[in-house]
Amino acid sequence: GDAVVPVAKCDLREYNSHPKELLPLKEFLEYWREYIGNGHSSPRGCLYLKDWHLSRAFPEQDVYSTPVYFSSDWLNEYWDAAGGDDFRFVYMGPKGSWTPFHADVFRSYSWSANVCGRKRWLLYPAGQEEFLRDSHGNLPFDVTSPELRDPRVYPRSSRSQAPLEILQEAGEIVFIPSGWHHQVHNLEDTISINHNWVNGCNVAVMWCFLQDELAAVHRELSQWKDPVEDWHLQCQLIMKSCTGIDYKEFYNFLKVVAENRISILEKGLDEESSSRRDSRAAISALGMLHAVFDLKRTAKVLGSLIANEDFGKLELSSLSPPPQVLLQRLESAIDTALL
């Protein structure tokens, strides 16, 4: 009850999201009981506990295990190794709480498991969001708003497909593909477990997203390019502040994934690792062929990163091993595994 949790104010808008505050869990639960008892209303408005890093905050609790279908999870594998963050979340909200229109971090996959309650999902396949931009190029906050049908504000909305609608019941899991924008409403008092994750099947999408984000920063800063000597470093810094990662950290992300799989292929899994429910045990459980598949996908993206002009302009001497050396080691491990 003393855990401090992030709580969104669903009745307010801050840019294209809900503003958040930090509350003790017991205070939020007291509010929730009062909210239900008062016919799902409160002078404090509709509050939604979301993006709570329960697993990271209380690792000893071991409150749930990841379904095997989603266990190839490079994103959390990397941040578990790097420390300081993860992409495993608990959401707890009353009837009427909701999440505005968005796509997930790094254009990752996501899965969401309802412990109890019901959710209504509105999903648009990747690319459809372009028809929903307003005359200034901004995405809508709420795709259910009547304003979306006003051609003066949203000139291309009539060309958009209708969203895919899912009613998610308790005990069901929803999978969101990379780049699918979506909006979610709690139809009842609901608790859910949510993960964002990347693996060999969508790491190229993540890399494309990062290139697009850097290009957007370049466009915004182009008028200041000449007088600033470290312009490319500043662009990386701004991109990281907006997205959470820059090109150097993306290299380290690929390195951790690659080295874990090379280790499994070379050494196998020892009994100590097998007894734990950690990332290395999960990798081994997927088998040798999956490890080789992951290495092939990593090698392809790493090769593209090394050839990237903006990556080449960075100071790469701090990276260990050097990118080209890591790529050669990857290719050698793949060849050896396939013999």
Side-chain angles (χ1 to χ4, degrees):
D2 293 324
V4 177
V5 296
V7 175
K9 302 177 180 180
C10 292
D11 300 325
L12 301 177
R13 177 175 178 175
E14 189 173 83
Y15 300 102
N16 255 26
S17 189
H18 294 137
K20 286 183 178 178
E21 61 180 333
L22 295 175
L23 295 175
L25 176 61
K26 59 186 175 184
E27 183 179 332
F28 174 76
L29 295 178
E30 288 168 4
Y31 152 83
W32 197 354
R33 292 189 187 97
E34 293 171 1
Y35 191 82
I36 294 171
N38 199 36
H40 286 87
S41 66
S42 168
R44 299 179 67 177
C46 183
L47 303 182
Y48 190 5
L49 188 165
K50 60 194 308 187
D51 298 323
W52 178 22
H53 296 266
L54 174 65
S55 292
R56 190 181 75 200
F58 299 98
E60 71 282 356
Q61 296 293 330
D62 198 25
V63 292
Y64 68 92
S65 58
T66 302
V68 64
Y69 317 105
F70 312 126
S71 57
S72 179
D73 180 352
W74 297 11
L75 209 56
N76 289 298
E77 176 185 343
Y78 170 71
W79 261 275
D80 284 349
D85 203 0
D86 74 336
F87 292 89
R88 308 177 183 94
F89 308 106
V90 169
Y91 282 49
M92 302 171 63
K95 176 182 178 181
S97 54
W98 65 294
T99 298
F101 190 62
H102 70 287
D104 289 318
V105 60
F106 308 138
R107 296 303 180 264
S108 56
Y109 298 135
S110 65
W111 62 264
S112 177
N114 269 7
V115 178
C116 61
R118 301 176 75 228
K119 291 181 185 287
R120 178 185 181 225
W121 294 75
L122 301 173
L123 303 107
Y124 289 84
Q128 283 295 305
E129 75 280 357
E130 295 303 322
F131 298 117
L132 302 178
R133 296 186 183 276
D134 65 16
S135 54
H136 301 289
N138 300 311
L139 290 170
F141 175 65
D142 178 3
V143 292
T144 68
S145 170
E147 186 182 43
L148 205 66
R149 295 191 292 272
D150 186 341
R152 296 169 297 180
V153 181
Y154 294 95
R156 297 201 295 166
S157 62
S158 63
R159 296 169 57 187
S160 170
Q161 297 177 8
L164 173 66
E165 183 172 345
I166 297 173
L167 296 180
Q168 182 188 14
E169 305 290 343
E172 294 183 340
I173 299 178
V174 169
F175 163 73
I176 309 300
S178 291
W180 282 45
H181 284 67
H182 51 283
Q183 184 167 311
V184 191
H185 296 260
N186 290 326
L187 304 179
E188 297 174 358
D189 300 286
T190 303
I191 299 173
S192 64
I193 307 292
N194 293 28
H195 280 216
N196 297 106
W197 95 102
V198 170
N199 61 26
C201 296
N202 69 336
V203 65
V205 175
M206 179 181 178
W207 170 224
C208 288
F209 167 72
L210 294 178
Q211 292 174 83
D212 289 344
E213 288 296 295
L214 184 61
V217 173
H218 284 175
R219 288 193 298 271
E220 291 293 327
L221 297 186
S222 58
Q223 59 183 308
W224 294 289
K225 179 176 181 179
D226 293 334
V228 181
E229 292 182 2
D230 61 348
W231 187 75
H232 293 286
L233 294 178
Q234 294 299 321
C235 289
Q236 291 284 327
L237 182 65
I238 292 170
M239 180 181 72
K240 186 168 184 175
S241 71
C242 294
T243 67
I245 194 172
D246 59 15
Y247 278 15
K248 280 189 175 182
E249 185 156 28
F250 184 61
Y251 169 79
N252 286 326
F253 167 77
L254 296 175
K255 180 184 76 169
V256 167
V257 168
E259 289 182 341
N260 283 346
R261 279 142 192 80
I262 291 172
S263 177
I264 292 295
L265 292 177
E266 291 179 348
K267 302 175 184 177
L269 188 68
D270 56 45
E271 291 184 6
E272 182 183 352
S273 295
S274 299
S275 65
R276 299 196 304 262
R277 289 163 62 178
D278 60 9
S279 297
R280 191 160 180 265
I283 298 162
S284 181
L286 292 170
M288 188 192 76
L289 290 179
H290 198 114
V292 173
F293 169 81
D294 284 356
L295 287 175
K296 286 183 174 181
R297 292 302 179 100
T298 306
K300 184 174 183 179
V301 173
L302 178 59
S304 177
L305 177 65
I306 291 170
N308 182 269
E309 181 181 357
D310 293 299
F311 183 67
K313 291 177 181 177
L314 302 176
E315 176 52 61
L316 303 179
S317 61
S318 62
L319 299 180
S320 179
Q324 194 64 49
V325 172
L326 177 62
L327 180 58
Q328 291 170 357
R329 188 177 175 212
L330 264 168
E331 292 171 341
S332 175
I334 293 168
D335 291 341
T336 301
L338 294 178
L339 290 177

